[in-house]
Coordinates of all heavy atoms in Angstrom, one line a residue:
V137 N 70.8 63.6 168.3 CA 71.2 63.4 169.7 C 71.4 61.9 169.9 O 72.6 61.5 170.5 CB 70.3 64.0 170.8 CG1 70.6 63.5 172.2 CG2 70.2 65.5 170.7
R138 N 70.5 61.2 169.4 CA 70.6 59.7 169.7 C 71.8 59.1 169.0 O 72.6 58.3 169.5 CB 69.4 59.1 169.1 CG 69.2 57.5 169.6 CD 68.1 56.9 168.8 NE 68.5 56.4 167.4 CZ 67.8 56.3 166.4 NH1 66.5 56.8 166.4 NH2 68.3 55.9 165.3
V139 N 72.0 59.6 167.6 CA 73.1 58.9 166.8 C 74.5 59.3 167.4 O 75.3 58.5 167.5 CB 73.0 59.3 165.3 CG1 74.2 58.9 164.6 CG2 71.7 58.7 164.8
I140 N 74.7 60.6 167.8 CA 75.9 61.0 168.3 C 76.3 60.5 169.7 O 77.4 60.1 170.0 CB 76.1 62.6 168.2 CG1 76.1 63.1 166.8 CG2 77.4 63.1 168.9 CD1 77.1 62.5 165.9
Q141 N 75.2 60.5 170.5 CA 75.4 59.8 171.9 C 75.9 58.4 171.7 O 76.8 58.0 172.4 CB 74.1 59.9 172.7 CG 74.2 59.1 174.0 CD 74.8 59.9 175.1 OE1 75.7 60.8 174.8 NE2 74.4 59.7 176.3
G142 N 75.2 57.7 170.8 CA 75.6 56.3 170.5 C 77.1 56.2 169.9 O 77.9 55.3 170.3
F143 N 77.4 57.2 169.0 CA 78.7 57.1 168.4 C 79.8 57.3 169.5 O 80.9 56.7 169.4 CB 78.8 58.1 167.3 CG 80.2 58.2 166.7 CD1 80.6 57.2 165.8 CD2 81.1 59.2 166.9 CE1 81.8 57.2 165.2 CE2 82.3 59.2 166.4 CZ 82.7 58.1 165.5
I144 N 79.6 58.2 170.4 CA 80.5 58.5 171.4 C 80.9 57.2 172.2 O 82.1 56.8 172.4 CB 80.0 59.5 172.4 CG1 80.0 60.9 171.8 CG2 80.8 59.6 173.7 CD1 79.3 62.0 172.5
Y145 N 79.9 56.5 172.6 CA 80.2 55.2 173.4 C 80.6 54.1 172.5 O 81.5 53.3 172.9 CB 78.9 54.8 174.2 CG 78.8 55.7 175.3 CD1 77.7 56.7 175.4 CD2 79.7 55.7 176.4 CE1 77.6 57.5 176.5 CE2 79.5 56.5 177.5 CZ 78.6 57.5 177.5 OH 78.4 58.3 178.6
W146 N 80.1 54.1 171.3 CA 80.6 53.0 170.2 C 82.1 53.3 170.0 O 82.9 52.4 170.0 CB 79.9 53.1 169.0 CG 80.5 52.5 167.8 CD1 81.3 53.0 166.9 CD2 80.5 51.1 167.5 NE1 81.8 52.2 166.0 CE2 81.3 51.0 166.3 CE3 79.8 50.0 167.9 CZ2 81.4 49.7 165.7 CZ3 80.0 48.8 167.3 CH2 80.8 48.6 166.2
G147 N 82.5 54.6 169.9 CA 83.9 54.9 169.7 C 84.7 54.5 170.8 O 85.9 54.0 170.5
G148 N 84.3 54.7 172.0 CA 85.1 54.2 173.2 C 85.4 52.7 173.1 O 86.4 52.2 173.4
G149 N 84.3 52.0 172.8 CA 84.4 50.5 172.8 C 85.3 50.0 171.6 O 86.0 49.1 171.6
S150 N 84.9 50.6 170.4 CA 85.6 50.1 169.2 C 87.0 50.5 169.2 O 87.9 49.7 168.5 CB 84.9 50.8 168.0 OG 85.0 52.2 167.9
R151 N 87.5 51.6 169.8 CA 88.9 51.9 169.9 C 89.6 50.7 170.5 O 90.7 50.3 170.1 CB 89.2 53.2 170.6 CG 88.9 54.4 169.8 CD 89.5 55.6 170.5 NE 89.1 55.8 171.9 CZ 88.0 56.4 172.3 NH1 87.3 57.0 171.3 NH2 87.7 56.6 173.5
R152 N 89.1 50.1 171.5 CA 89.8 49.1 172.3 C 89.7 47.7 171.6 O 90.6 47.0 171.6 CB 89.3 49.0 173.7 CG 89.6 50.3 174.5 CD 88.9 50.4 175.9 NE 88.4 51.7 176.0 CZ 87.3 52.1 176.6 NH1 86.4 51.1 176.9 NH2 87.0 53.4 176.7
F153 N 88.5 47.5 171.1 CA 88.3 46.1 170.5 C 88.8 46.0 169.1 O 89.2 44.9 168.6 CB 86.9 45.7 170.6 CG 86.4 45.2 171.9 CD1 85.4 46.0 172.7 CD2 86.9 44.1 172.5 CE1 85.1 45.5 173.9 CE2 86.4 43.6 173.7 CZ 85.5 44.3 174.5
I154 N 88.7 47.1 168.3 CA 89.0 47.1 166.9 C 90.2 47.8 166.4 O 91.1 47.3 165.8 CB 87.7 47.6 166.1 CG1 86.5 46.8 166.4 CG2 88.0 47.5 164.5 CD1 85.2 47.3 165.9
Y155 N 90.2 49.1 166.8 CA 91.2 50.0 166.2 C 92.5 50.1 167.0 O 93.6 50.4 166.5 CB 90.7 51.4 166.0 CG 89.5 51.3 165.1 CD1 88.2 51.6 165.6 CD2 89.6 51.1 163.7 CE1 87.1 51.5 164.9 CE2 88.4 51.1 162.9 CZ 87.3 51.3 163.5 OH 86.1 51.2 162.6
S156 N 92.4 49.9 168.3 CA 93.7 49.9 169.2 C 93.6 48.8 170.2 O 93.5 49.2 171.4 CB 93.7 51.4 169.8 OG 94.9 51.4 170.6
P157 N 93.6 47.6 169.8 CA 93.4 46.5 170.8 C 94.6 46.4 171.8 O 94.4 45.7 172.9 CB 93.4 45.3 169.9 CG 94.1 45.7 168.6 CD 93.8 47.1 168.4
E158 N 95.6 47.1 171.6 CA 96.7 47.0 172.7 C 96.2 47.7 174.0 O 96.8 47.5 175.0 CB 98.0 47.7 172.2 CG 97.8 49.2 171.8 CD 97.4 49.4 170.4 OE1 97.0 48.5 169.7 OE2 97.5 50.6 169.9
K159 N 95.1 48.5 173.9 CA 94.6 49.1 175.2 C 94.0 47.9 176.1 O 93.9 48.2 177.3 CB 93.4 50.1 174.8 CG 94.0 51.3 174.2 CD 92.8 52.3 173.9 CE 93.3 53.6 173.3 NZ 93.9 54.4 174.3
L160 N 93.8 46.7 175.5 CA 93.2 45.7 176.3 C 94.4 44.6 176.5 O 94.0 43.5 177.0 CB 92.1 45.0 175.6 CG 90.9 45.9 175.4 CD1 89.7 45.2 174.7 CD2 90.3 46.5 176.7
N161 N 95.5 45.0 176.2 CA 96.6 44.0 176.4 C 97.5 44.4 177.7 O 98.1 45.5 177.7 CB 97.6 44.2 175.1 CG 98.8 43.2 175.3 OD1 99.0 42.5 176.2 ND2 99.7 43.3 174.3
P162 N 97.4 43.6 178.7 CA 98.0 43.9 179.9 C 99.6 44.1 179.9 O 100.1 44.7 180.8 CB 97.7 42.7 180.8 CG 96.5 42.1 180.2 CD 96.7 42.3 178.8
D163 N 100.1 43.6 178.7 CA 101.6 43.8 178.6 C 102.0 45.1 177.8 O 103.1 45.3 177.6 CB 102.2 42.5 177.8 CG 102.0 41.3 178.7 OD1 102.2 41.4 179.9 OD2 101.7 40.3 178.2
A164 N 101.0 45.8 177.3 CA 101.2 47.0 176.5 C 101.3 48.3 177.3 O 100.6 48.3 178.4 CB 100.2 47.1 175.4

Side-chain angles (χ1 to χ4, degrees):
V137 173
R138 193 192 83 210
V139 172
I140 294 304
Q141 174 80 331
F143 178 75
I144 288 171
Y145 286 108
W146 164 267
S150 64
R151 280 197 304 273
R152 289 168 225 143
F153 281 114
I154 303 172
Y155 302 107
S156 186
E158 62 271 14
K159 290 179 177 289
L160 300 180
N161 180 1
D163 297 321

